Amino acid sequence: MGKQTFNRINKTSKILGVLLLVSFIIFVTATSASAESVDANYQAGYQAGVQQGCIVGYNDGLKDCSAHGQNAVLTKISDPVIKDGWKDNYKTGYKKGYNEGYLASYSKGRFKCLKK
């Protein structure tokens, strides 16, 4: 009798061990796929932000140069337009890209105006 109980416990522990291993593999795979998605959203938002920041910054640089000449007048970068439906990591990338693109293009717009 004692051996039969031991065999049942041994089979049960093997089955539980296999199930635990399978669930661990699924968890690790799902986590890495989720991390790739977050990074892809951030990068897409960053690229879109840089493009929009370049356009707005360049135009603002031209306007400021035309209105104020050589005097530097940029005190605040205009806020980007953020839509409610965007994911949080996309918004974060968009804001960072927008600021970097704006600063780079603002100087280019002012320089082009000053060369005239």
Side-chain angles (χ1 to χ4, degrees):
M1 227 6 143
K3 289 186 177 184
Q4 290 176 350
T5 305
F6 179 74
N7 286 339
R8 275 190 258 144
I9 292 173
N10 198 10
K11 283 183 179 181
T12 306
S13 64
K14 286 180 183 178
I15 292 171
L16 287 176
V18 169
L19 289 175
L20 182 65
L21 180 64
V22 169
S23 64
F24 178 74
I25 291 171
I26 291 172
F27 175 74
V28 170
T29 305
T31 303
S32 65
S34 168
E36 290 174 11
S37 171
V38 168
D39 189 45
N41 286 333
Y42 178 85
Q43 290 297 328
Y46 181 83
Q47 291 297 325
V50 167
Q51 290 175 350
Q52 188 61 32
C54 285
I55 294 168
V56 174
Y58 187 82
N59 291 336
D60 286 354
L62 284 174
K63 288 177 192 173
D64 288 350
C65 178
S66 298
H68 303 284
Q70 292 183 343
N71 299 330
V73 294
L74 179 64
T75 57
K76 184 179 180 226
I77 297 173
S78 61
D79 293 327
V81 177
I82 303 292
K83 296 182 181 173
D84 291 335
W86 292 351
K87 295 185 178 190
D88 288 338
N89 48 0
Y90 185 89
K91 289 178 188 178
T92 303
Y94 188 87
K95 288 176 187 176
K96 184 174 182 180
Y98 181 87
N99 288 336
E100 290 178 10
Y102 186 96
L103 288 174
S105 295
Y106 181 84
S107 299
K108 289 178 185 177
R110 284 188 51 81
F111 182 72
K112 182 177 180 181
C113 174
L114 291 173
K115 282 183 10 180
K116 291 180 182 179

